[in-house]
Amino acid sequence: MTTVILTAHGSADPRSPANTRAIAGHLRRVSPELDVRVAFCEQNSPNLRDALLELPGLHDRVVVAPLLLAAAYHARIDIPALIVDAGVSVRQAAVLGEDERLLQVMRQRLGEVGVSRFDAGLGVLVAAVGSSKPDANARTARVADTLARGTRWAGAEVCFATGARPSIAEAAERLRQRGATRIAVAPWFLAHGRITDRVAGYARDAGMVMAEPLGAHRLVAAAVLDRVEDALVDVAAA
């Protein structure tokens, strides 16, 4: 049996690990042939290192699947370091990235708060966590460009709640300069937490509507499963 360790960053906010476990539940239901486990880089239990040390026997069919949107610090540094610290040889799958299914979920979340793709006076802010890596931020910016395709919106702009620029206020001003008279916030986050609460507070004070994060949607689980299958194909090819 293939073991999948769904690995999230971890958060002091209980909504985040709960979301990770809910996505793991989706994976177990759609792929009962997988042994799906949950682990975290920090703040929640089990830690990825401990989860790896608990594995019995051979590790050639173990995939660590990062529940992360961007190939930034946690995917490039944290997770590989924890794998090395555990002293095991396992496959690390790719991050979720700008998967079209995640954009479908984002469109659905916007629709749930009344956003129409035909609203010419609307601007959409895609709010994300910033990275110290410009290429990671550039890939996140493509989410806003893709989201706006096929709509009549005044535009869509990425903004970063931490680290990078443009800030929420700066990106909102860009949208107003493009003719937006109303602004909606689409969080490029998998779950609620302290950062999304801060973004929600800003949106509320500024009179903006804000959608829900991607959450434990079946399409998020489907994207994870694809990353796992890609990693297993790599193993077979090797």
Side-chain angles (χ1 to χ4, degrees), residues 6-236:
L6 185 66
T7 305
H9 173 247
S11 172
D13 190 308
R15 293 171 294 180
S16 181
N19 187 72
T20 301
R21 294 188 175 96
I23 292 173
H26 274 300
L27 291 173
R28 294 185 188 104
R29 286 190 290 275
V30 300
S31 298
E33 74 279 7
L34 299 177
D35 174 20
V36 180
R37 307 184 183 200
V38 168
F40 303 91
C41 294
E42 59 183 56
Q43 299 197 64
N44 303 118
S45 295
N47 178 267
L48 175 58
R49 175 185 177 276
D50 296 336
L52 289 168
L53 291 174
E54 290 174 359
L55 292 175
L58 299 176
H59 300 138
D60 59 335
R61 297 288 292 182
V62 176
V63 178
V64 174
L67 188 60
L68 300 168
L69 294 173
Y73 185 86
H74 302 304
R76 293 182 298 103
I77 306 298
D78 277 353
I79 289 178
L82 289 166
I83 292 172
V84 169
D85 195 31
V88 296
S89 178
V90 297
R91 179 69 57 170
Q92 179 177 332
V95 299
L96 299 179
E98 303 79 52
D99 193 292
E100 174 57 31
R101 286 162 295 193
L102 304 188
L103 286 161
Q104 289 182 46
V105 178
M106 181 175 276
R107 294 184 187 103
Q108 179 181 322
R109 299 301 187 220
L110 285 167
E112 290 166 356
V113 294
V115 168
S116 167
R117 64 187 181 94
F118 302 109
D119 188 345
L122 183 73
V124 174
L125 289 174
V126 176
V129 172
S131 170
S132 61
K133 293 289 184 180
D135 60 330
N137 295 329
R139 287 194 298 271
T140 303
R142 290 202 292 267
V143 173
D145 295 336
T146 305
L147 187 67
R149 290 176 193 161
T151 73
R152 296 181 183 175
W153 299 340
E157 293 275 351
V158 71
C159 61
F160 297 104
T162 62
R165 297 180 72 178
S167 67
I168 300 174
E170 290 168 338
E173 181 56 30
R174 291 183 186 181
L175 288 174
R176 294 186 186 99
Q177 291 175 358
R178 294 170 66 176
T181 56
R182 295 172 303 284
I183 295 177
V185 179
W188 186 240
F189 286 80
L190 288 162
H192 275 299
R194 293 178 179 177
I195 297 176
T196 58
D197 284 350
R198 189 166 68 245
V199 174
Y202 180 93
R204 182 177 57 252
D205 293 344
M208 303 173 183
V209 65
M210 178 167 158
E212 289 291 303
L214 301 176
H217 196 285
R218 61 179 180 80
L219 291 179
V220 176
V224 172
L225 186 58
D226 269 3
R227 303 300 180 272
V228 170
E229 291 176 346
D230 288 345
L232 291 172
V233 167
D234 290 344
V235 170

